Amino acid sequence: MQSTITLGNVLALFGAMVVLASIPSVSVLAVSTRAATSGLIHGALTALGVVLGDVIFILIAILGLSLLIEAIGPFFVLIKYLGAAYLILIGVQLFRSKPVSLELGEAIPSSHLSSFLTGLLITLADQKAIFFYLGFFPAFLDLSKVSYVDAGIIIATAILSVGGVKLGYAILADRARLLVSVKVRRSLNWLAGSVMIAVGIVLVATARV
């Protein structure tokens, strides 16, 4: 099975996705927050969750499963509620953390699974991403002629571009964490907790049955 995607298509798609992934967003904030409060590995796992969520949406988009999107609409609403509850829980945990007892550069203990699910749920909770990809990809390729090889290339491009950018944010946030005082980190925890809770509330408010 041959690919219908040219090198130019791949490079253009890669560049566009890098730019889009670099724009400050909830996912960028989540990755940066987890890296800044719990360390690089947690930021990287959050980024992995974001990428997996994007891959799921990309698969739906490139397979042209618009009917499936309508069929599982209620499922996306459930994802929104689950994502909202999880984000609010994380926000509360950040509020309750005790950074005053931490040494400079020490990470707040946290579950690896929690960090991964944070990125995944934040991405899956945004059902508009499917429609974004359905409108985005036609600018670079003909979705009606996409083969399995093409799908693999597109997914690999997304992983390298989106994953690379998010990981870059995690590295920068982790290095910044090593340079700030405990007092500043306590303020960071409160700010991050407030944002997480606010995002969770917005997800609940915008959910539609």
Side-chain angles (χ1 to χ4, degrees):
M1 187 175 295
Q2 296 182 344
S3 172
T4 61
I5 302 178
T6 67
L7 178 59
N9 291 143
V10 173
L11 293 178
L13 182 61
F14 179 84
M17 296 191 77
V18 165
V19 171
L20 292 172
S22 301
I23 297 174
S25 61
V26 174
S27 63
V28 168
L29 176 62
V31 170
S32 300
T33 297
R34 296 302 276 187
T37 57
S38 299
L40 177 58
I41 184 63
H42 288 274
L45 286 171
T46 303
L48 179 61
V50 171
V51 171
L52 178 58
D54 274 340
V55 168
I56 291 173
F57 284 147
I58 288 171
L59 282 173
I60 294 176
I62 62 180
L63 292 176
L65 301 181
S66 57
L67 293 179
L68 179 59
I69 295 173
E70 296 179 3
I72 60 178
F75 174 73
F76 281 110
V77 173
L78 177 60
I79 286 294
K80 271 199 170 186
Y81 283 123
L82 290 176
Y86 201 78
L87 291 177
I88 292 174
L89 175 61
I90 292 175
V92 171
Q93 290 177 338
L94 285 170
F95 271 119
R96 296 180 61 184
S97 63
K98 299 178 180 179
V100 291
S101 63
L102 297 175
E103 297 298 330
L104 184 63
E106 185 180 348
I108 297 175
S110 181
S111 165
H112 288 169
L113 179 60
S114 171
S115 294
F116 172 75
L117 289 178
T118 295
L120 179 61
L121 288 173
I122 282 177
T123 304
L124 293 183
D126 185 11
Q127 65 192 69
K128 294 188 299 296
I130 287 183
F131 299 101
F132 166 77
Y133 281 122
L134 284 173
F136 177 74
F137 284 135
F140 300 91
L141 47 95
D142 184 352
L143 291 179
S144 65
K145 298 180 180 179
V146 172
S147 66
Y148 289 113
V149 174
D150 295 332
I153 293 174
I154 294 170
I155 291 174
T157 301
I159 291 174
L160 291 175
S161 56
V162 177
V165 170
K166 304 302 183 185
L167 182 59
Y169 273 112
I171 293 173
L172 291 176
D174 178 62
R175 290 184 177 180
R177 175 179 63 86
L178 301 176
L179 301 176
V180 299
S181 67
V182 170
K183 183 177 180 179
V184 172
R185 289 180 60 206
R186 178 173 57 187
S187 298
L188 175 62
N189 290 347
W190 287 349
L191 175 60
S194 299
V195 171
M196 289 294 183
I197 292 173
V199 172
I201 293 174
V202 169
L203 288 179
V204 170
T206 57
R208 293 291 184 272
V209 178

